[in-house]
Amino acid sequence: MGELYKISSIDWKPSPVLALATSVDGLRVAAARQDGSLEIWLVSPGSIGWHCQLTIHGDADKRVSSLVWCTGALNDEACGRLFSSHIDGSVTKWDLFHLKQTTVLDTDGVSIWKMAVTLPKRDVINSETKNNHVGNGFVSKFHDSDEHDENSESDEDSDSTDTMKQSVIEYPRVAIAYDDGCVRIYAISDTDDFMYVKSLPRVKGRVLSVTWSADANHIFSGSSDGLIRCWDVISGHEVYRITAGLGGLGSGHDLCIWSLLSLRSGALVSADSSGSVQFWDSQHGTLLQAHSLHKGDVNALAAAPGHDRVFSAGSDGQVILYKLSSQSASSDGVNSPIMMKKWIYVQGVRAHTHDVWALTVAVPITQEDALPDERVKRARREEKPVEFSYHKWAHLGVPMLISAGDDTKLFAYPVKEFTKFSPHDICPAPQRTPIQLVLNTAFNQSSMLLVQSSHGLDVHLLQLRNVHTAGGRAKTEMLARVKSKASQKIICSTISNSGTLFAYSDHLKPNLFELKRSEGGKVTWSVSKRKLPSRLPFAHSMIFTHDSSWLIVAGHDRRIYVVDVRSSELVHTFTPCRDLQDEKLPPTEPPITRLFSSSDKQWLAAVNCFGDIYVFNLEILRQHWFISRLDGASVTAGGFPPQNSNVMIITTSSNQVYAFDIEAKELGEWSKRHTYVLPRRYQEFPGEVIGLSFPPSSTSSSAVVYSSRAMCLIDFGLPVEQDDNDMLNIQDPRAKSSQNLSVKRKIKHKNFNVLPLENPVLFLAYMSKNSFFMIDKPWLEVVKSLEAPPVHRHIFGT
């Protein structure tokens, strides 16, 4: 493979996951992290791994307390609309097209603990409610007075039955649990307005959990006084209350009801701070079963699609399965035995090292937003690849349980075969530190690293000469550190090939800096800020051209700006479009999140967050080509090889590799021959491809692609060798002739060699034609750096 240099000293501190939610269509999972960012995860077609489709960098000061999806205002919004509640008392919407967070319900100073949404009811509105009808059918957009009596049995302050009926119930409704003891109900309009409907009477303590009954006629709330209350949605009256501590380990008013789950069978499930999970008859409020198996607070509950399995997770790092089982009960000896159903404990799994905060169930293996006539059925294989049990159960339509928490990881479990297979690590390297390497810089041809953190940039000098020690370790020297203004979160960054310029963008604007070295006796480094054009919008991605003369900025306004760094003037503005005739129209395409440029400064490739590619000619400043989503998948990496600037290599989340002839606007010869018959060992590449690198040689035809778990060496000048017993991925008539392969032989592959890696990889790149540089980090070191303490596990004899 050549020589490999490694360092593990780069800081990497991912953020805990606070909440999970599955989209309306069941295909996507939203994960909210403590640092304010939101991720959308799904499984790509033909791939065995999860793919983070997009990331939105939200407000770090708004701690998310819950996530909910509701039906979309438009028919084409299959995944629905995503909202989050926050500890500061506000509710925000996450715009998955424009990649932004917008406040839809301002805070009134009271924290929100949980939200629960119910789908619209298409019932005919009672004609008696036409009185006092307001505008578009909602009562008011404002709260009524919250001067409620703290005794929930006092109903004078709750809204009348007529008031509730006169709300337009064909819209989704959301129940919000507030810290002041209130549950407030809102209707969500097609324009994302949270329109106030009513408040339930205030109770003592905080309302920590809330859920709707299956028929949406009742709301269940759990509070910090150890009580579960059932409310009639129409009248606002309390139907009954349950003292949860009677069935579990907790007692009195010190018990916190952290989560509630209403099942279609009529059972209500509660999770509390004593470690108990209890099943109740929701009609009468009587206890069915109680399980006290967690060794700490139970934070989350989730149900299988059939509502015959329930999962719980908590501060002990466990995920526990309970199953509805039929058992025979003895009768009087004359009649046949009576069959009774009970919720029984099945098994617990501890994949997490820290508290688990969230659970959700999804059925996520599908195409990524392909149109119905574009869907292509992909063969899924039955044989078990080495070391990967995930293949055995990750099939089309198989429900998956997802868990997440303080250890920053997301794990997937088979819902129906929970006890048979180990959890699957969805993201072995969560929130990787963005890193960029430049070779042969203006500073004595040395190599440099740009390392991006949440609030700053570090520039390192990479030292490889005479430092190759046991284990192939390299050394770095810190040259400069730049912190963002007012601790703004950095979204993207880049460094020029010369090493003299680097830039970043936060949520305010892009910033450009120049690095200088003075050698007056002692070498010192200094950083000065360079001017950029005024009103340049903040960016989702940025890159320097190969000659370091232009800075290209992909603005949040969905335009691409070309800036001359010497004159600080705007050279040109591109508006990405599908039809090349629409260049002068306002932007309509999704934001650009990746940029690649060719070494001859002729081509610029821009990729949006859903995988469409726009190619621009920088010589004539015109858009050259539009490439729609490849195989319905997202782009994971790409670039232009140094030896041929007319070729663009792209990897996708479906584990495919494409080589394009840019000038001819078509697939290159290599792709025409091989893309549809890539070897199975690459199709089942462990982990999502996160990077691509070319050797700095004008004669090499090689490239390396890598995930956080493995690397794959590809030589585009060599034939592609198939695996033994390989089931070809036939999607194109041109590939059918390849089925008649010659006799299969077990040989050492010269192409598409997949090499597993020991530790999670943050970055990997060619240093020369025969050497690589890699940054990895043992996961145990990352765990030790996390702020939250790990779950204590008793070791026998200690």
Side-chain angles (χ1 to χ4, degrees):
M1 183 187 79
E3 200 165 24
L4 177 64
Y5 296 92
K6 294 199 303 181
I7 64 171
S8 300
S9 57
I10 298 299
D11 288 336
W12 173 30
K13 196 172 181 180
S15 181
V17 179
L18 302 177
L20 297 172
T22 301
S23 60
V24 173
D25 56 11
L27 308 180
R28 295 162 181 79
V29 171
R33 294 188 181 268
Q34 187 172 295
D35 65 355
S37 62
L38 180 109
E39 300 166 350
I40 301 295
W41 290 87
L42 71 164
V43 171
S44 297
S47 169
I48 68 165
W50 284 69
H51 165 59
C52 185
Q53 186 182 43
L54 57 89
T55 299
I56 303 175
H57 298 280
D59 188 346
D61 294 329
K62 285 182 173 290
R63 182 185 174 95
V64 172
S65 57
S66 67
L67 288 170
V68 295
W69 295 80
C70 75
T71 50
L74 303 175
N75 292 330
D76 58 353
E77 292 180 328
C79 64
R81 295 172 285 172
L82 179 62
F83 300 92
S84 62
S85 63
H86 303 269
I87 294 298
D88 70 353
S90 64
V91 176
T92 61
K93 182 194 177 184
W94 298 88
D95 189 330
L96 306 185
F97 186 85
H98 298 95
L99 303 185
K100 65 180 182 179
Q101 179 185 17
T102 307
T103 299
V104 292
L105 182 64
D106 290 324
T107 178
D108 57 2
V110 181
S111 296
I112 296 175
W113 285 96
K114 197 76 71 176
M115 290 195 301
V117 70
T118 184
L119 297 180
K121 293 181 67 176
R122 303 295 179 184
D123 300 338
V124 178
I125 301 176
N126 194 319
S127 59
E128 295 178 0
T129 64
K130 292 183 180 179
N131 297 331
N132 302 322
H133 210 61
V134 178
N136 57 6
F138 287 90
V139 182
S140 171
K141 293 181 65 174
F142 305 99
H143 295 198
D144 62 351
S145 173
D146 285 330
E147 302 287 328
H148 298 311
D149 189 337
E150 293 206 351
N151 184 354
S152 66
E153 295 181 358
S154 173
D155 297 316
E156 285 107 7
D157 293 326
S158 62
D159 298 82
S160 67
T161 300
D162 289 342
T163 302
M164 181 60 199
K165 285 184 178 180
Q166 77 180 42
S167 65
V168 180
I169 56 178
E170 66 263 23
Y171 289 111
R173 288 172 293 163
V174 60
I176 303 180
Y178 280 89
D179 191 72
D180 62 358
C182 277
V183 174
R184 298 188 182 105
I185 303 171
Y186 293 84
I188 307 174
S189 73
D190 289 344
T191 56
D192 303 325
D193 289 325
F194 268 53
M195 299 193 173
Y196 177 74
V197 176
K198 71 182 307 173
S199 290
L200 300 180
R202 180 177 295 168
V203 302
K204 292 182 179 180
R206 304 178 173 98
V207 181
L208 303 175
S209 53
V210 66
T211 191
W212 294 79
S213 63
D215 59 7
N217 290 328
H218 295 89
I219 287 176
F220 304 99
S221 66
S223 51
S224 60
D225 60 1
L227 296 178
I228 301 169
R229 293 173 172 86
C230 175
W231 304 91
D232 183 283
V233 174
I234 300 298
S235 67
H237 294 174
E238 180 182 317
V239 180
Y240 62 77
R241 64 176 62 176
I242 299 171
T243 304
L246 297 179
L249 295 176
S251 62
H253 298 292
D254 297 331
L255 195 68
C256 292
I257 312 299
W258 291 120
S259 185
L260 291 172
L261 181 65
S262 179
L263 304 179
R264 289 193 297 271
S265 63
L268 174 68
V269 193
S270 66
D272 60 50
S273 55
S274 72
S276 299
V277 174
Q278 300 178 75
F279 295 82
W280 310 87
D281 181 336
S282 65
Q283 184 176 358
H284 303 100
T286 54
L287 181 65
L288 301 176
Q289 276 90 42
H291 297 279
S292 301
L293 300 165
H294 284 279
K295 311 243 184 282
D297 293 49
V298 187
N299 301 319
L301 296 169
H307 282 209
D308 58 347
R309 291 171 173 85
V310 168
F311 301 88
S312 64
S315 60
D316 58 356
Q318 278 197 100
V319 177
I320 294 179
L321 166 64
Y322 311 88
K323 186 178 179 181
L324 186 61
S325 175
S326 297
Q327 298 180 352
S328 60
S330 60
S331 61
D332 55 7
V334 178
N335 299 320
S336 58
I338 301 172
M339 297 301 295
M340 298 184 63
K341 292 190 174 183
K342 292 185 65 176
W343 287 94
I344 62 172
Y345 162 78
V346 179
Q347 184 175 319
V349 174
R350 186 181 275 113
H352 292 274
T353 58
H354 290 61
D355 294 21
V356 182
W357 288 110
L359 293 175
T360 192
V361 172
V363 188
I365 295 187
T366 182
Q367 294 279 74
E368 297 181 36
D369 289 335
L371 296 175
D373 57 348
E374 294 177 338
R375 296 184 183 274
V376 180
K377 291 186 177 180
R378 305 285 296 273
R380 300 195 69 81
R381 305 165 178 80
E382 296 181 358
E383 297 84 7
K384 176 184 177 183
V386 180
E387 298 179 355
F388 294 103
S389 63
Y390 183 62
H391 299 257
K392 292 283 287 185
W393 59 268
H395 297 293
L396 181 66
V398 173
M400 295 184 188
L401 173 74
I402 318 299
S403 65
D406 276 344
D407 65 358
T408 75
K409 293 258 193 172
L410 286 85
F411 285 96
Y413 316 73
V415 165
K416 294 184 178 179
E417 297 177 300
F418 181 79
T419 61
K420 293 184 180 180
F421 298 100
S422 299
H424 175 69
D425 191 349
I426 291 177
C427 51
Q431 290 190 311
R432 289 179 305 110
T433 301
I435 299 168
Q436 187 176 342
L437 171 69
V438 288
L439 308 172
N440 305 318
T441 65
F443 304 112
N444 296 333
Q445 299 296 298
S446 57
S447 300
M448 297 171 64
L449 287 173
L450 180 70
V451 181
Q452 175 187 320
S453 62
S454 296
H455 305 290
L457 297 179
D458 293 339
V459 182
H460 297 264
L461 184 67
L462 186 60
Q463 299 174 340
L464 298 179
R465 297 175 184 174
N466 302 321
V467 297
H468 189 198
T469 58
R473 294 286 167 179
K475 292 182 180 179
T476 60
E477 176 189 349
M478 173 82 75
L479 302 182
R481 171 170 289 178
V482 173
K483 292 186 177 181
S484 60
K485 189 174 182 181
S487 295
Q488 285 284 327
K489 187 175 182 180
I490 294 179
I491 302 173
C492 59
S493 60
T494 186
I495 187 170
S496 65
N497 285 328
S498 66
T500 58
L501 298 168
F502 61 96
Y504 77 82
S505 178
D506 52 26
H507 277 104
L508 297 179
K509 62 178 181 178
N511 297 272
L512 176 64
F513 300 90
E514 183 176 5
L515 180 66
K516 296 180 180 179
R517 181 178 65 175
S518 59
E519 300 185 8
K522 182 181 179 181
V523 176
T524 59
W525 298 84
S526 61
V527 175
S528 59
K529 191 169 184 179
R530 295 282 298 270
K531 184 181 177 182
L532 285 174
S534 59
R535 297 183 180 178
L536 202 61
F538 76 79
H540 290 299
S541 182
M542 51 175 47
I543 191 175
F544 285 97
T545 53
H546 193 268
D547 62 359
S548 305
S549 62
W550 287 355
L551 174 63
I552 300 173
V553 174
H556 76 95
D557 60 354
R558 297 176 288 162
R559 291 185 172 92
I560 299 174
Y561 298 86
V562 181
V563 179
D564 188 312
V565 295
R566 295 186 181 89
S567 64
S568 300
E569 293 181 355
L570 186 64
V571 176
H572 190 73
T573 301
F574 292 111
T575 302
C577 55
R578 294 172 179 263
D579 188 340
L580 302 187
Q581 308 300 320
D582 297 338
E583 278 188 284
K584 297 188 181 301
L585 296 179
T588 57
E589 295 295 290
I592 300 299
T593 54
R594 297 177 187 270
L595 293 169
F596 317 117
S597 66
S598 62
S599 57
D600 62 356
K601 199 182 172 181
Q602 181 178 6
W603 303 113
L604 170 69
V607 185
N608 69 27
C609 54
F610 299 106
D612 300 312
I613 304 172
Y614 315 85
V615 182
F616 302 92
N617 189 326
L618 295 179
E619 291 184 347
I620 61 175
L621 299 176
R622 292 283 303 274
Q623 182 169 335
H624 175 73
W625 192 16
F626 168 76
I627 306 171
S628 187
R629 302 182 69 184
L630 302 166
D631 190 31
S634 298
V635 173
T636 54
F640 295 86
Q643 71 272 15
N644 189 348
S645 294
N646 189 51
V647 173
M648 179 175 65
I649 306 296
I650 292 293
T651 65
T652 68
S653 54
S654 58
N655 283 3
Q656 293 291 325
V657 180
Y658 296 87
F660 291 97
D661 184 327
I662 299 299
E663 191 70 52
K665 298 184 181 180
E666 63 180 13
L667 278 175
E669 288 301 318
W670 184 90
S671 275
K672 290 177 181 178
R673 293 195 304 269
H674 302 302
T675 286
Y676 299 102
V677 288
L678 293 183
R680 177 179 170 185
R681 60 185 177 274
Y682 180 76
Q683 299 252 329
E684 297 181 347
F685 189 59
E688 175 188 2
V689 171
I690 55 178
L692 167 68
S693 177
F694 303 102
S697 169
S698 59
T699 59
S700 175
S701 57
S702 299
V704 60
V705 300
Y706 65 95
S707 70
S708 57
R709 301 169 61 191
M711 61 186 290
C712 180
L713 300 172
I714 304 174
D715 193 327
F716 293 96
L718 293 178
V720 176
E721 304 153 352
Q722 297 298 327
D723 297 289
D724 291 341
N725 301 319
D726 201 8
M727 295 179 64
L728 296 179
N729 174 26
I730 304 299
Q731 301 183 65
D732 192 278
R734 294 170 293 189
K736 292 184 178 179
S737 60
S738 300
Q739 295 183 78
N740 301 317
L741 297 176
S742 57
V743 179
K744 297 161 184 169
R745 298 170 297 165
K746 290 187 177 181
I747 60 174
K748 183 178 180 181
H749 300 296
K750 296 181 180 179
N751 205 358
F752 281 89
N753 274 342
V754 177
L755 305 173
L757 300 169
E758 180 181 2
N759 296 318
V761 174
L762 302 178
F763 180 79
L764 191 148
Y766 274 99
M767 289 295 296
S768 66
K769 189 174 181 179
N770 297 309
S771 66
F772 299 88
F773 170 69
M774 183 172 72
I775 301 176
D776 65 359
K777 194 91 168 179
W779 182 246
L780 185 58
E781 291 186 16
V782 180
V783 169
K784 290 179 179 178
S785 70
L786 299 177
E787 293 180 2
V791 174
H792 174 71
R793 301 183 190 178
H794 177 72
I795 300 174
F796 181 76
T798 62

